[in-house]
Amino acid sequence: MSESPAKPAMTEPLEAALTGADDRLRLNHWLPPQTGIAPRIRIGGRWISVLWALPLGTVALIVLIAVAQSLRELPSVTAFIKHHPGISQAAPSVDSGFPVWLQIQHFANMFFMLFIIRAGIQILADHPRLYWKRDCTPGIDWFRFQKPIPEGRVWTSKDDSVTVPAWLGLPGVRHSVGLARWWHFSVNLLWVVNGVLFYVLLFSTEQWRRLVPVTWDVFPAALSTAIQYASLNFPVDHSWTRYNGLQQLSYFVTVFVAAPVSIVTGLMQSPAISNKLGWFGRTFNRQAMRSVHFLAFTWFVLFILMHGIMVFVTGLRQNTNHMFGGVDDPSWRGFPLFALAMAVLIAAWLVASPFTIRHARLVQRTGGFMVDWLKGLAERWDVHAQLTEKDISPFFWPNGTMPASKAFDDLVAGGFVNYRLRISGLVEAPQEFSLADLKAMPKQEQITTHFCIQGWSGVAKWGGVPMRHILELVRPPPEARYAVFYSLADGSDGGRYYDVHELRNMGHELTILAYEMNGAPLSVLHGAPLRLRCENELGFKMVKWIAAIEFVRDFGHLGAGHGGYNEDHEFYGYRMPI
Ligand SMILES: Nc1nc2c(c(=O)[nH]1)N[C@H]1C(S)=C(S)[C@@H](COP(=O)(O)O)O[C@H]1N2
Ligand SMILES: [Mo]
């Protein structure tokens, strides 16, 4: 008689179908490049290219300068500018100059932003469309840099991803969202730490006075500064002690509006967080948040551009002395440090992508080390968020690599009567269930949002067997820590698709083995005969066309050992509630 409650682990034969994976991003094993189009914005029914901004912006600038110059000849405007020279007269001044901590934080912020912006663009390119509504129905996007979806064929969200210029994206390879996310999230964390420290130091010294307007006078002051800049006759600069109205407002918006908005709208795109927040998550849905996140990004880019230009045109020596030298004198103290900072930035820019492509696994591991503890916290939540029938999306993007085997075709042809779900490994009662067996079990229906890592989302009603019920039937012992889902389909680079979940995910209320979608039998496109729904994770962790479930103590021996096909082959994370 055995002392162990578990039968000896039955080896899952599908293990042999899993493959190893490269630790580098190998372009000849990757989705081939595909160019998009110049970004367009939809106004009503018309798509307008943002390239129009160049000629229109140039004309607008010339007109603006002409108008500002003639305005300045009006006595009333002259009087207004005399009265509001640009710096709000009531604003308190700062006597401590630009302390070293401020200089360091300014540089760190610049350095972090480089990675955040490039990786952000890369993430956007994986679903190069923006929407306001939760579902991503073709044609309702308001922004895209991809052609309309081709009709008459299956067009997956992976098909839709585009290549961004290699110098711009990080790592600049099509569908490298997995790697881009590690950069984006890890550096975000550093950026937030830097930002929090900045807030603390700002308000524990007098430096906050530079950025926070304390009198209404800032608005006429900003208007006056705007007219003066636009007329190309710049206001007198006193930035060592006080910023002018326009500067103060734009810095304030950047630090106290754009930054927090980016953080919140970034987090709200996560399945676990969005689902956890109930009505808040439903109202401020993933697509609206993704759009606002993009608008905040646009603000940052325009700000950096204008800020950079102004540093040069309003006196490079003085400005670099302030922010890089900490002095307000006619010396050349700041400039060499500024040049060095720029050199570091350029070097980082040049090295980041080649490094990421070459050391993809290292980037994945380092990223995991940096942010997996945070994702682990979100993974603990058992989400209950449900929507209503009227929220069901008219269009639900398909994704993934379809099954392509005779065996699968035969199953389809036979209406899946010969299908068996095998449950094995560390369980007290290994089982094989037919589809009829599964349909005879307790059924759970749920209307939920699907969050794909690429950026799209969609609402559907799913029907199937709660995983909790399966656990009761097969009884994994305490030492079974993970559930491995094997697919009937291969992944995009050969070898069987699979994914590993912690057992905790299996006990969640909304984790089901679905055989129905929107009240109809699941289609092959969406995973027939059986697919996983686990609503606190991103879409790729929900294996479609499930062949078998194996309970294991560890998953290091499976595939390349990273906990799933996309984890192995596309450097995704294993914990993906965010
Ligand atoms: N077997 C298998 N399952 C898979 C995939 C895949 O490529 N193969 N793709 C995943 C991804 S990335 C997503 S977003 C969802 C898509 O499900 P859908 O086609 O129903 O939208 O399935 C997931 N399950
Ligand atoms: Mo996905």
Side-chain angles (χ1 to χ4, degrees):
M1 248 188 66
S2 161
E3 302 243 331
S4 153
K7 291 196 176 155
M10 184 172 108
T11 313
E12 175 52 59
L14 277 169
E15 276 183 22
L18 307 183
T19 51
D22 265 309
D23 288 341
R24 298 175 174 205
L25 190 164
R26 297 230 184 242
L27 290 170
N28 54 348
H29 282 255
W30 206 258
L31 213 56
Q34 165 171 266
T35 46
I37 55 173
R40 284 166 202 215
I41 295 176
R42 184 168 58 83
I43 297 169
R46 287 179 66 93
W47 284 95
I48 318 259
S49 167
V50 298
L51 294 181
W52 279 105
L54 290 174
L56 292 181
T58 310
V59 171
L61 194 65
I62 293 168
V63 171
L64 189 74
I65 293 169
V67 168
Q69 289 185 341
S70 19
L71 272 180
R72 288 197 74 166
E73 276 162 24
L74 297 179
S76 55
V77 175
T78 315
F80 171 72
I81 290 175
K82 198 167 157 56
H83 188 61
H84 296 283
I87 297 172
S88 146
Q89 292 306 288
S93 73
V94 171
D95 303 318
S96 49
F98 292 86
V100 176
W101 62 263
L102 193 70
Q103 298 168 37
I104 294 172
Q105 291 213 293
H106 176 259
F107 172 72
N109 187 67
M110 202 182 332
F111 188 75
F112 295 154
M113 275 311 240
L114 180 156
F115 291 93
I116 294 172
I117 287 178
R118 291 186 62 194
I121 293 171
Q122 189 72 59
I123 295 169
L124 181 65
D126 228 42
H127 189 72
R129 307 173 186 278
L130 293 171
Y131 317 79
W132 290 110
K133 292 212 271 185
R134 184 164 31 220
D135 31 51
C136 302
T137 311
I140 68 165
D141 34 358
W142 66 268
F143 173 92
R144 60 174 160 91
F145 46 104
Q146 169 62 302
K147 298 174 211 62
I149 294 165
E151 287 178 26
R153 56 158 292 187
V154 171
W155 185 252
T156 66
S157 127
K158 269 184 199 169
D159 292 330
D160 205 49
S161 63
V162 294
T163 313
V164 285
W167 57 267
L168 183 62
L170 174 59
V173 175
R174 180 180 173 206
H175 187 52
S176 53
V177 63
L179 291 165
R181 279 172 53 108
W182 290 126
W183 279 113
H184 200 65
F185 289 23
S186 316
V187 180
N188 278 345
L189 191 67
L190 300 175
W191 180 76
V192 168
V193 169
N194 189 49
V196 168
L197 205 64
F198 177 64
Y199 277 25
V200 169
L201 287 167
L202 211 56
F203 289 101
S204 56
T205 63
E206 57 169 358
Q207 292 293 333
W208 64 272
R209 293 178 183 166
R210 290 186 189 281
L211 304 187
V212 184
V214 288
T215 109
W216 293 112
D217 210 25
V218 70
F219 291 106
L223 179 63
S224 161
T225 338
I227 297 171
Q228 294 180 69
Y229 280 131
S231 69
L232 301 183
N233 183 355
F234 288 2
V236 187
D237 187 282
H238 291 290
S239 55
W240 181 249
T241 53
R242 274 188 302 187
Y243 289 147
N244 67 47
L246 202 58
Q247 249 178 323
Q248 189 172 56
L249 281 184
S250 56
Y251 293 177
F252 180 82
V253 170
T254 304
V255 173
F256 297 106
V257 181
V261 163
S262 299
I263 297 168
V264 171
T265 54
L267 290 171
M268 293 281 293
Q269 293 175 60
S270 127
I273 295 173
S274 179
N275 280 329
K276 185 73 186 170
L277 295 178
W279 67 268
F280 193 80
R282 284 194 295 275
T283 311
F284 300 100
N285 70 72
R286 186 194 218 194
Q287 298 312 322
M289 295 299 94
R290 193 166 179 256
S291 288
V292 176
H293 199 68
F294 175 78
L295 294 179
F297 150 84
T298 311
W299 169 273
F300 275 118
V301 170
L302 293 178
F303 174 81
I304 292 167
L305 211 68
M306 285 309 294
H307 183 61
I309 291 172
M310 290 316 245
V311 165
F312 278 83
V313 301
T314 63
L316 185 62
R317 175 142 61 128
Q318 178 206 279
N319 290 329
T320 54
N321 270 348
H322 287 183
M323 196 46 102
F324 291 84
V327 293
D328 185 35
D329 60 29
S331 71
W332 282 94
R333 180 143 158 201
F335 184 77
L337 287 162
F338 167 74
L340 181 66
M342 289 302 127
V344 170
L345 244 49
I346 292 168
W349 193 297
L350 294 176
V351 167
S353 286
F355 178 89
T356 305
I357 291 169
R358 203 185 160 91
H359 301 285
R361 198 64 75 193
L362 179 67
V363 169
Q364 180 192 31
R365 281 187 205 282
T366 313
F369 172 78
M370 298 272 298
V371 296
D372 270 0
W373 59 273
L374 233 163
K375 297 203 273 171
L377 293 179
E379 217 170 43
R380 284 169 193 273
W381 297 335
D382 188 355
V383 297
H384 311 278
Q386 292 216 39
L387 294 113
T388 60
E389 299 265 349
K390 69 172 185 1
D391 299 315
I392 292 175
S393 303
F395 178 88
F396 198 99
W397 279 82
N399 210 6
T401 310
M402 304 299 145
S405 67
K406 170 91 172 52
F408 186 81
D409 292 345
D410 289 346
L411 278 181
V412 177
F416 294 110
V417 285
N418 292 328
Y419 170 77
R420 295 291 176 275
L421 167 68
R422 188 169 53 238
I423 306 187
S424 65
L426 274 180
V427 286
E428 288 181 27
Q431 303 263 10
E432 282 201 358
F433 298 118
S434 69
L435 201 52
D437 293 337
L438 293 165
K439 286 183 176 169
M441 292 177 191
K443 181 179 174 187
Q444 176 172 315
E445 286 192 322
Q446 60 201 42
I447 302 175
T448 53
T449 312
H450 179 96
F451 293 73
C452 172
I453 190 172
Q454 294 188 259
W456 60 273
S457 53
V459 179
K461 177 159 110 180
W462 304 96
V465 188
M467 204 50 207
R468 301 182 304 283
H469 182 70
I470 303 283
L471 294 184
E472 281 168 23
L473 294 178
V474 300
R475 297 191 302 279
E479 62 264 35
R481 292 186 51 206
Y482 306 97
V484 188
F485 288 78
Y486 296 90
S487 180
L488 294 160
D490 282 348
S492 52
D493 191 27
R496 200 52 64 86
Y497 194 93
Y498 77 106
D499 203 80
V500 182
H501 284 262
E502 240 160 78
L503 225 52
R504 193 195 294 127
N505 267 354
M506 299 296 101
H508 281 173
E509 186 181 311
L510 296 183
T511 301
I512 65 172
L513 298 176
Y515 48 77
E516 272 181 18
M517 181 182 185
N518 298 334
L522 196 59
S523 64
V524 167
L525 188 61
H526 290 294
L530 204 62
R531 70 154 323 147
L532 178 63
R533 293 299 312 166
C534 177
E535 308 297 352
N536 54 347
E537 299 282 357
L538 289 175
F540 75 91
K541 293 205 67 87
M542 299 183 222
V543 175
K544 302 198 285 187
W545 314 290
I546 300 172
I549 306 171
E550 183 189 16
F551 289 84
V552 293
R553 200 182 314 245
D554 224 325
F555 56 78
H557 61 292
L558 299 174
H562 302 282
Y565 191 88
N566 287 333
E567 290 88 331
D568 290 347
H569 292 262
E570 295 184 358
F571 310 100
Y572 287 8
Y574 157 73
R575 297 182 184 286
M576 284 306 217
I578 298 182

